[in-house]
Amino acid sequence: MSIIEKAAEKLKTLQSEDPSAPEAVSASDQTVPHVAVTPNVKRLQDWARAPQAPAEETPLWHVDLMALKRVGVMPGGDAAARLADELRRIKRPLLATAAGKGTRPVENGHRIMIASAVPGEGKTFTALNLALSLAKEKDFEVLLVDGDIPKCDLTRLFKLERHAGLMDVLTDEQRRPEDVIVHTDLPGLMLVPVGQRNPLAAELFGSQRMERVLQDFSGRNQRRLLLFDSPPLLATSEAQALGTHMGQIILVVAASSTPQQTVKAAIQTLDKAKGISLILNRAQLLAGEDYYGSYYSRYYKDR
Ligand SMILES: Nc1ncnc2c1ncn2[C@@H]1O[C@H](COP(=O)(O)OP(=O)(O)OP(=O)(O)O)[C@@H](O)[C@H]1O
Ligand SMILES: [Mg+2]
């Protein structure tokens, strides 16, 4: 049985327990809506606007890809090519939905949250690598926001602990959201770190100010995707509060480790009006192989 088939089996088991759970299908199955959707490139280009370059005097933050590889959050060699290929397949339907060309209309489809039921399923790994992949898109740019306030792993990975961030603009209405956007030397990639951590993050995420901040993060640039790392859905209330502002939510599920009931409980916390998709992470562990670049993704269809 191939890795993908094994991953599909895993998701099928989930569905057999709960008809509203995601239906397991092969990533190569062209009948799967999200895999079959190919965005209309011309219309995507129409939809996209010219890039908004940062002001000339804004220093660009150096992204040290070698350092990210050294700490293991980015693969190298063959694994990098494999991961890149899988992310390519994963991002197509996300981009189509963001551009309003998905299988169904989704409000704020350009706001995408990477979520998981419990800690350690690969949210930060996915957010980082997906952001780097999205940044390579000609018609889009990506603003990667560290929405995991307690752990702030992305903030630390990019060495932005001392930089103002999301918490600062949420607590201080005088501060302009655009001032906490970090423009990087990787074309198409911008970052928003956590800033001064705040124990009231859930309340701040649920506030009207949060909605205004997100609108400002997007600005008038309709080609900008907002991609959020987040804390685990079942461990904190913050992720659910953050999720209310999103158009698309990707639930990362660690293969062979997260119990079905846990995944189902996480799905129950999500608003089904959003574009919800699942990624089975580390699927190749099922075959006893290196699990870099071992995603298996599908859209959550039963809405
Ligand atoms: N597909 C993968 N290939 C290789 N390493 C991975 C993969 N997915 C996750 N990891 C590694 O597993 C560990 C846990 O992943 P990660 O930190 O992304 O999980 P998380 O869901 O963000 O956890 P938390 O909820 O604690 O923030 C990290 O060391 C990460 O680099
Ligand atoms: Mg994380």
Side-chain angles (χ1 to χ4, degrees), residues 71-140:
V71 296
V73 290
M74 275 183 73
D78 289 351
R82 236 176 19 245
L83 180 64
D85 191 47
E86 294 185 354
L87 289 173
R88 249 174 233 126
R89 277 182 286 148
I90 285 169
K91 70 183 174 179
R92 284 296 136 215
L94 297 175
L95 291 174
T97 300
K101 315 294 179 207
T103 47
R104 71 185 180 95
V106 166
E107 200 183 345
N108 291 320
H110 64 289
R111 298 180 190 168
I112 306 169
M113 179 169 105
I114 311 295
S116 76
V118 291
E121 299 203 66
K123 294 179 297 300
T124 303
F125 180 93
T126 303
L128 172 68
N129 286 287
L130 184 58
L132 294 174
S133 178
L134 288 168
K136 290 182 187 145
E137 290 291 317
K138 292 243 179 299
D139 299 328
F140 297 89

Side-chain angles (χ1 to χ4, degrees), residues 49-238:
R49 298 282 186 277
Q52 283 180 352
E56 251 175 49
E57 66 274 14
T58 309
L60 297 178
W61 193 259
H62 176 56
V63 175
D64 189 345
L65 295 178
M66 292 312 292
L68 294 174
K69 283 182 183 161
R70 274 199 302 277
V71 296
V73 290
M74 275 183 73
D78 289 351
R82 236 176 19 245
L83 180 64
D85 191 47
E86 294 185 354
L87 289 173
R88 249 174 233 126
R89 277 182 286 148
I90 285 169
K91 70 183 174 179
R92 284 296 136 215
L94 297 175
L95 291 174
T97 300
K101 315 294 179 207
T103 47
R104 71 185 180 95
V106 166
E107 200 183 345
N108 291 320
H110 64 289
R111 298 180 190 168
I112 306 169
M113 179 169 105
I114 311 295
S116 76
V118 291
E121 299 203 66
K123 294 179 297 300
T124 303
F125 180 93
T126 303
L128 172 68
N129 286 287
L130 184 58
L132 294 174
S133 178
L134 288 168
K136 290 182 187 145
E137 290 291 317
K138 292 243 179 299
D139 299 328
F140 297 89
E141 59 185 23
V142 60
L143 183 64
L144 176 60
V145 184
D146 192 348
D148 189 346
I149 310 307
K151 284 198 75 180
C152 57
D153 277 347
L154 282 179
T155 300
R156 286 190 283 115
L157 283 169
F158 287 106
K159 304 191 186 331
L160 286 166
E161 298 96 321
R162 297 170 67 180
H163 198 280
L166 182 58
M167 288 294 104
D168 302 298
V169 280
L170 290 178
T171 50
D172 180 358
E173 302 231 349
Q174 304 306 316
R175 200 187 271 267
R176 297 185 316 165
E178 66 200 65
D179 291 343
V180 300
I181 295 178
V182 177
H183 295 268
T184 77
D185 58 359
L186 276 189
L189 178 71
M190 290 158 293
L191 305 166
V192 173
V194 161
Q196 181 69 44
R197 284 193 272 175
N198 192 306
L200 297 179
E203 287 77 4
L204 292 168
F205 283 163
S207 67
Q208 288 181 6
R209 170 76 177 157
M210 177 69 177
E211 185 55 36
R212 286 198 299 277
V213 167
L214 294 184
Q215 284 168 13
D216 279 15
F217 279 165
S218 295
R220 285 190 300 275
N221 191 346
Q222 296 187 349
R223 67 190 288 276
R224 184 178 291 171
L225 305 163
L226 308 187
L227 186 67
F228 291 79
D229 191 15
S230 69
L233 279 163
L234 300 181
T236 68
S237 51
E238 288 156 39

